[in-house]
Amino acid sequence: MEVSIGYWIGFFVFIIVMLALDLGVFHRTNEAPTIKSSLLWSAFWIGLAFIFAGGIWALAGGNHALDFVTAYLLEKSLSIDNIFIFILVFNFFKIDAKYQHRLLFWGVFGALVMRVLFIFAGVVLLDKFKWLMVVFGLFLVITGIKMLFEKEESGDLNNNFIIKTLRRLFPFKEDASVAKFFVKIDGKRFATQFLIALLFIEASDLIFAVDSIPAVLSVSQNSFIVVTSNIFAIMGLRSLYFAVSGILPLFRYIKYALAAILAFIGFKMVLNEAAHYFDFNLHISNISSLVVIIGLISLSIVASIIADRAMQRKRL
């Protein structure tokens, strides 16, 4: 799929315009988004992603459109981990809901820049060193298995390595009453909880990208498809957070679905590369990956709801 520079420019101009409208028009004031508005924005970004997939279908064919949808849903699924981090960080730093959207705006902006750089680097590496697909695949399998057995993150981040490092780097003033990254006290500049929270979110996304970017590259190594699917998934992340953050902790089995997805994608990468290298006819297609991703996420949500209702009945 060859994409002219005009499509790249047009796409990034659209994203920049949407970001500018978001911060400068739709969310000029510090107000907590309502669940209704968040659901509408989530639906807008999801609908826009599928309209974009329809455009790819019309211009480049069904296979490329399927690659986009699979990459988009894979990234959307894996980005659920980011929402758990948002909840953890905002609760720990006691950041009021009316300031959270603006903070997430800058968090998402930084994530977009980092991920685009990661993707282009990954595409170049895989183009030159095909065997890296096996390395990435094994890494995802190991990550998925580790994720199944790791303990839940504690709500107390005081001993977190990233937080401790950031507090050493910046003179820190514990104050969440004013939505500023720095404050001046007696002529000395201090970092606020907003800056530490933002940098922690960016650092966490960088860690998540180490898993998610190789996973998405297993679907396609076409830069345009991987970049656009990633950006669409991330752009809708803030509204999804405000829409579901109140009920997301109920979905206790989501983590296991994400771990299984990572392990499956890693296995797919190794198997498909081995099939190509040894010339045997065994291949996991992207449509199979799409079915597995949707199936595992749906199963985990249903199981979580059933478990929660069973616990509620026990309390009565």
Side-chain angles (χ1 to χ4, degrees):
M1 179 182 171
E2 294 295 328
V3 178
S4 69
I5 189 67
Y7 285 106
W8 281 104
I9 293 172
F11 177 76
F12 281 114
V13 166
F14 169 74
I15 294 300
I16 291 169
V17 168
M18 288 303 300
L19 286 170
L21 287 173
D22 188 329
L23 193 63
V25 178
F26 299 116
H27 299 99
R28 284 181 302 174
T29 58
N30 290 320
E31 293 180 359
T34 63
I35 292 177
K36 181 181 177 181
S37 68
S38 298
L39 287 171
L40 288 173
W41 273 106
S42 294
F44 169 78
W45 281 110
I46 292 170
L48 203 60
F50 280 93
I51 291 171
F52 191 82
I56 292 176
W57 188 309
L59 294 172
N63 288 335
H64 290 300
L66 176 63
D67 289 350
F68 174 86
V69 172
T70 305
Y72 171 74
L73 290 179
L74 175 59
E75 182 58 43
K76 198 74 171 173
S77 302
L78 296 177
S79 67
I80 292 173
D81 260 355
N82 293 69
I83 296 179
F84 284 109
I85 290 295
F86 297 160
I87 294 171
L88 187 67
V89 169
F90 292 147
N91 286 340
F92 176 73
F93 287 109
K94 298 180 177 61
I95 293 175
D96 196 289
K98 66 183 180 180
Y99 299 133
Q100 292 175 8
H101 188 279
R102 190 168 292 266
L103 187 62
L104 288 180
F105 172 90
W106 294 111
V108 165
F109 181 78
L112 291 177
V113 174
M114 286 191 298
R115 284 172 182 254
V116 169
L117 295 175
F118 264 52
I119 289 166
F120 280 117
V123 168
V124 170
L125 284 172
L126 288 175
D127 185 56
K128 291 188 175 181
F129 310 104
K130 295 291 186 185
W131 53 268
L132 280 175
M133 187 67 80
V134 176
V135 176
F136 287 158
L138 291 173
F139 172 74
L140 291 182
V141 171
I142 293 168
T143 301
I145 294 171
K146 283 176 63 179
M147 196 172 169
L148 282 173
F149 298 102
E150 69 183 5
K151 294 180 180 179
E152 293 290 330
E153 183 92 44
S154 168
D156 184 5
L157 296 177
N158 282 308
N159 293 320
N160 181 276
F161 172 77
I162 297 174
I163 295 293
K164 288 167 73 174
T165 302
L166 290 173
R167 283 175 169 169
R168 286 195 203 102
L169 292 174
F170 299 99
F172 176 69
K173 180 68 175 177
E174 194 166 326
D175 181 12
S177 61
V178 181
K180 292 182 178 179
F181 293 131
F182 294 96
V183 292
K184 265 190 175 182
I185 300 175
D186 297 329
K188 187 175 180 181
R189 188 183 294 269
F190 290 88
T192 67
Q193 287 167 258
F194 291 94
L195 181 66
I196 303 298
L198 174 63
L199 294 177
F200 182 82
I201 288 171
E202 297 288 13
S204 299
D205 186 74
L206 188 63
I207 293 169
F208 290 145
V210 173
D211 297 334
S212 66
I213 297 304
V216 174
L217 288 172
S218 75
V219 175
S220 173
Q221 279 102 60
N222 183 280
S223 300
F224 189 74
I225 286 176
V226 180
V227 168
T228 53
S229 61
N230 242 262
I231 289 178
F232 271 116
I234 293 171
M235 286 292 287
L237 193 57
R238 286 164 302 154
S239 51
L240 186 63
Y241 160 73
F242 288 108
V244 304
S245 60
I247 60 172
L248 199 63
L250 298 178
F251 297 154
R252 65 191 70 197
Y253 298 130
I254 284 283
K255 183 187 85 167
Y256 301 108
L258 299 181
I261 288 170
L262 281 177
F264 168 77
I265 294 297
F267 174 74
K268 170 192 171 182
M269 293 168 78
V270 174
L271 179 65
N272 287 357
E273 195 61 27
H276 176 74
Y277 185 80
F278 293 107
D279 196 24
F280 59 84
N281 190 24
L282 187 58
H283 181 84
I284 299 176
S285 66
N286 281 345
I287 190 134
S288 300
S289 301
L290 187 60
V291 170
V292 169
I293 293 165
I294 294 173
L296 286 171
I297 291 294
S298 301
L299 182 63
S300 70
I301 291 174
V302 171
S304 298
I305 293 171
I306 292 172
D308 182 65
R309 288 180 177 175
M311 288 184 67
Q312 288 180 357
R313 283 196 295 269
K314 282 183 179 180
R315 295 192 193 105
L316 297 176

Coordinates of all heavy atoms in Angstrom, one line a residue, residues 96 160 188 251 264 267 307:
D96 N -8.4 17.0 41.0 CA -9.8 17.2 40.8 C -10.3 16.8 39.4 O -9.5 17.1 38.4 CB -10.2 18.6 41.1 CG -11.7 18.8 41.3 OD1 -12.5 18.7 40.3 OD2 -12.1 19.1 42.4
N160 N 7.1 4.1 44.2 CA 7.3 3.8 42.8 C 8.6 4.4 42.3 O 8.9 5.6 42.5 CB 6.1 4.3 42.0 CG 6.2 4.0 40.5 OD1 6.8 4.8 39.7 ND2 5.5 3.0 40.1
K188 N 11.4 31.0 44.2 CA 11.9 29.7 43.8 C 10.9 28.9 43.1 O 9.7 28.9 43.5 CB 12.4 28.9 45.0 CG 13.2 27.6 44.7 CD 13.7 26.9 45.9 CE 14.4 25.7 45.5 NZ 15.0 24.9 46.7
F251 N -14.4 -4.5 36.2 CA -13.9 -5.5 35.2 C -12.6 -6.1 35.6 O -11.6 -5.8 35.0 CB -13.8 -4.8 33.8 CG -15.1 -4.2 33.3 CD1 -15.2 -3.2 32.4 CD2 -16.3 -4.8 33.7 CE1 -16.4 -2.7 31.9 CE2 -17.6 -4.3 33.2 CZ -17.6 -3.2 32.4
F264 N -0.9 -14.4 22.7 CA -1.4 -14.9 21.4 C -0.7 -14.1 20.2 O -0.3 -14.8 19.3 CB -2.9 -14.7 21.3 CG -3.5 -14.9 19.9 CD1 -3.6 -16.2 19.4 CD2 -3.8 -13.8 19.1 CE1 -4.1 -16.4 18.1 CE2 -4.3 -14.0 17.8 CZ -4.4 -15.3 17.3
F267 N 2.8 -15.3 19.9 CA 2.8 -16.7 19.3 C 2.6 -16.6 17.8 O 3.3 -17.2 17.0 CB 1.8 -17.5 19.9 CG 1.6 -18.9 19.3 CD1 2.6 -19.9 19.5 CD2 0.5 -19.2 18.5 CE1 2.4 -21.1 18.8 CE2 0.3 -20.4 17.9 CZ 1.3 -21.4 18.0
A307 N -19.1 -12.2 37.9 CA -18.4 -12.3 39.2 C -18.9 -11.2 40.2 O -19.1 -11.5 41.4 CB -16.9 -12.3 39.0

